[in-house]
Amino acid sequence: MSILNLWSLGHFMLWSFLGRFVFSNWYIFFILSVGWELIELILPYEFAVEPLENKISDIIVNTLGFYLGLKLKNIE
């Protein structure tokens, strides 16, 4: 299984959108982003079962997406 996959693109797009249009607080971002990855550890659904490397890459992709969203917001 690859560390980056189609879910990674979804994570990137979601967090770019949220950073651009919804909020710009890094604390809230980290609570939501890392919090969701922790919740996935106990969810009984197949989509939530992934190796630790994927969870780490999800957080990295989320961070890059959120950063890009904030940068796009500040261009205006």
Side-chain angles (χ1 to χ4, degrees), residues 24-75:
S24 59
N25 186 303
W26 279 100
Y27 294 114
I28 293 173
F29 160 75
F30 279 114
I31 289 169
L32 293 174
S33 179
V34 174
W36 176 254
E37 295 303 325
L38 292 174
I39 288 172
E40 280 186 340
L41 292 172
I42 60 171
L43 287 176
Y45 303 109
E46 189 175 328
F47 76 87
V49 177
E50 60 185 359
L52 181 61
E53 294 84 11
N54 276 64
K55 298 220 176 281
I56 293 169
S57 72
D58 284 349
I59 293 170
I60 292 169
V61 168
N62 293 352
T63 303
L64 293 172
F66 190 68
Y67 177 78
L68 176 66
L70 292 179
K71 286 297 179 189
L72 292 173
K73 178 187 290 189
N74 293 328
I75 288 175

Side-chain angles (χ1 to χ4, degrees), residues 5-32:
N5 53 34
L6 192 56
W7 286 104
S8 302
L9 178 61
H11 280 251
F12 186 83
M13 292 173 51
L14 169 70
W15 285 105
S16 294
F17 176 84
L18 292 174
R20 171 72 170 90
F21 296 109
V22 180
F23 64 92
S24 59
N25 186 303
W26 279 100
Y27 294 114
I28 293 173
F29 160 75
F30 279 114
I31 289 169
L32 293 174

